[in-house]
Amino acid sequence: MTSADRNPLYLDDLRVGQTFGGNETFALDTAAIKAYARQFDPQPFHLDETAAEKTLFGGLAASGWHTASITMKLMATDGPPLAAGIVGGGLDELRWPKPVRPGDRLHIKCEILEITPSKSRPEQGRIKMRTTTLNQNDEPVQIIVANLIVPRRKQTAMG
Amino acid sequence: MTSADRNPLYLDDLRVGQTFGGNETFALDTAAIKAYARQFDPQPFHLDETAAEKTLFGGLAASGWHTASITMKLMATDGPPLAAGIVGGGLDELRWPKPVRPGDRLHIKCEILEITPSKSRPEQGRIKMRTTTLNQNDEPVQIIVANLIVPRRKQTAMG
């Protein structure tokens, strides 16, 4: 299912505790881990199996920013189909509790934590959403808490 | 200058307030913004100039995760040359105060905020480092505060 097939959600459609995700996966192999690393995180533990063994990672691991990028892909296609897209000004938290390894297959679980209509801009509001990225054994590899801007449904003039 | 040319830094070499960066830049054009977006953030404001005009961004903008990835590249080559590399378990904060546009040229400024030797593991410690990513007009486009693991210099047996 692509996001185009999903009905757009407005702030008024969301509730605290609502969850999304779990329908799509994103697999990484050694080549993908190294390709991202060459471009954005050229450190030995992301580029070379032998060098990686002697590091804190104890073997080749994906860059945390690669995991974050994959999580964004999964949020765009398997997270909440927010009417204006996944648009945020930042995160309250980002943790990588466990390395991502070659052969891992990731999925996400999103949960709405807070919903705050804007007082100054009645056409929108803000949500706080936790997105946990999990591997094929359901072990969390990344946890983020993001603040997203979400439009409201247009109110009729007569209320 | 590549990281191989720089002397590795241990926890004992760092001090609060020390800064790094500003020697390298990373430029983005429209093609790079769209290439990252196709792979990791396929939303209209990162993929299509015309569609982007009608969104909150008011024009094509790089994915925030693309900016984060570029920042990692600059940290690896122009941040502090930490002895075990840039290795962290997460961030306390991530903000994107301003969009990154086609043609922008980014650089970083890193500042050491805290240095905490480990009590249980005398061979290492933790630092808190703020990395601000700036465009060619010195406007901040991303601010992160990361917690990094840094090895200590080996102590001699005789102290």
Side-chain angles (χ1 to χ4, degrees), chain A residues 36 43 69 86 89 91 94 96, chain B residues 36 43 69 86 89 91 94 96:
Chain A
Y36 178 94
Q43 302 196 89
S69 296
I86 305 279
L91 307 181
L94 185 159
W96 292 298
Chain B
Y36 179 94
Q43 303 195 88
S69 296
I86 305 279
L91 306 180
L94 184 159
W96 292 298

Side-chain angles (χ1 to χ4, degrees), chain B:
Chain B
M1 188 163 80
T2 69
S3 52
D5 301 314
R6 305 187 297 163
N7 288 326
L9 294 177
Y10 292 82
L11 195 75
D12 317 77
D13 304 321
L14 301 172
R15 61 176 202 279
V16 171
Q18 203 170 358
T19 60
F20 301 89
N23 299 304
E24 291 191 15
T25 61
F26 193 116
L28 294 88
D29 58 13
T30 300
I33 287 174
K34 292 182 181 180
Y36 179 94
R38 272 192 299 274
Q39 202 175 355
F40 295 121
D41 196 349
Q43 303 195 88
F45 28 85
H46 305 316
L47 283 172
D48 183 285
E49 287 86 343
T50 309
E53 280 173 24
K54 295 172 215 129
T55 68
L56 275 177
F57 290 98
L60 197 74
S63 169
W65 300 104
H66 192 185
T67 305
S69 296
I70 290 167
T71 300
M72 180 63 235
K73 171 62 167 64
L74 290 168
M75 283 199 286
T77 54
D78 195 30
L82 302 175
I86 305 279
V87 180
L91 306 180
D92 285 352
E93 184 183 338
L94 184 159
R95 286 190 290 132
W96 292 298
K98 197 180 164 73
V100 171
R101 303 293 187 180
D104 278 0
R105 181 175 289 276
L106 306 182
H107 65 281
I108 57 166
K109 181 177 174 184
C110 307
E111 182 178 355
I112 309 290
L113 302 180
E114 288 180 28
I115 301 172
T116 313
S118 171
K119 284 173 187 168
S120 58
R121 304 189 60 179
E123 77 281 11
Q124 68 180 46
R126 196 175 52 78
I127 64 169
K128 205 178 278 294
M129 182 172 84
R130 182 175 53 232
T131 298
T132 306
T133 311
L134 304 113
N135 64 21
Q136 61 284 355
N137 303 317
D138 270 333
E139 298 165 315
V141 295
Q142 181 184 281
I143 299 161
I144 60 176
V145 176
N147 296 301
L148 303 175
I149 297 165
V150 185
R152 303 198 65 171
R153 286 196 181 276
K154 284 198 173 54
Q155 309 295 315
T156 61
M158 298 301 288

